[in-house]
Amino acid sequence: MEKLQSVERFSALIAEQHPTIAVFKTSWCSDCHFIDPFMPEVEQKYNQVTFVEVDAEAFEEIAQKYNIMGIPSFVAFKGGKETIRFVNKLRKTQPEIEQFVERAVAVSEAV
């Protein structure tokens, strides 16, 4: 998963015409580290989706713009617009994340 390096790169990624999912995390969040071992498998399974890791503290302006209060949070975009989100303060499991990605792909195809 690409780790975001600039606001400009974020804008370019979410403008894509295929689904892009921003995964908002922080270095100190234990629930964020919980998903690290299985996210490569999720990315491989859903290779039509671009995943980008956004450090919610380093890119506070992006996190604020999208009202990210709990982490990890997943926000899907297509064509520069948010399509669906999976945001809460709870630990997320691989099946829950995969279910969200499937919904994000379905919504993207409908848009």
Side-chain angles (χ1 to χ4, degrees):
M1 178 176 335
E2 177 180 342
K3 291 186 182 195
L4 188 65
Q5 300 296 320
S6 71
V7 173
E8 295 78 18
R9 178 68 177 147
F10 182 80
S11 297
L13 287 169
I14 68 170
E16 300 277 334
Q17 290 305 313
H18 64 272
T20 297
I21 295 179
V23 182
F24 289 87
K25 300 168 71 177
T26 63
S27 60
W28 52 263
C29 167
S30 61
D31 289 342
C32 298
H33 294 295
F34 175 79
I35 69 172
D36 286 343
F38 60 75
M39 281 306 294
E41 185 180 331
V42 173
E43 290 178 80
Q44 186 176 10
K45 184 174 181 179
Y46 300 98
N47 61 6
Q48 75 273 37
V49 176
T50 299
F51 291 86
V52 61
E53 181 179 320
V54 181
D55 184 317
E57 290 182 325
F59 293 98
E60 189 175 341
E61 66 276 15
I62 296 172
Q64 286 178 348
K65 179 177 181 177
Y66 292 100
N67 283 332
I68 303 302
M69 301 295 177
I71 49 174
S73 291
F74 295 76
V75 182
F77 297 89
K78 180 181 177 188
K81 295 189 170 111
E82 180 181 333
T83 57
I84 190 171
R85 62 175 45 213
F86 182 24
V87 176
N88 61 39
K89 64 180 182 175
L90 304 175
R91 176 173 279 184
K92 290 149 184 74
T93 64
Q94 184 171 353
E96 290 172 326
I97 293 169
E98 288 182 1
Q99 184 178 37
F100 165 74
V101 174
E102 288 173 12
R103 286 194 325 259
V105 169
V107 167
S108 174
E109 290 171 354
V111 176

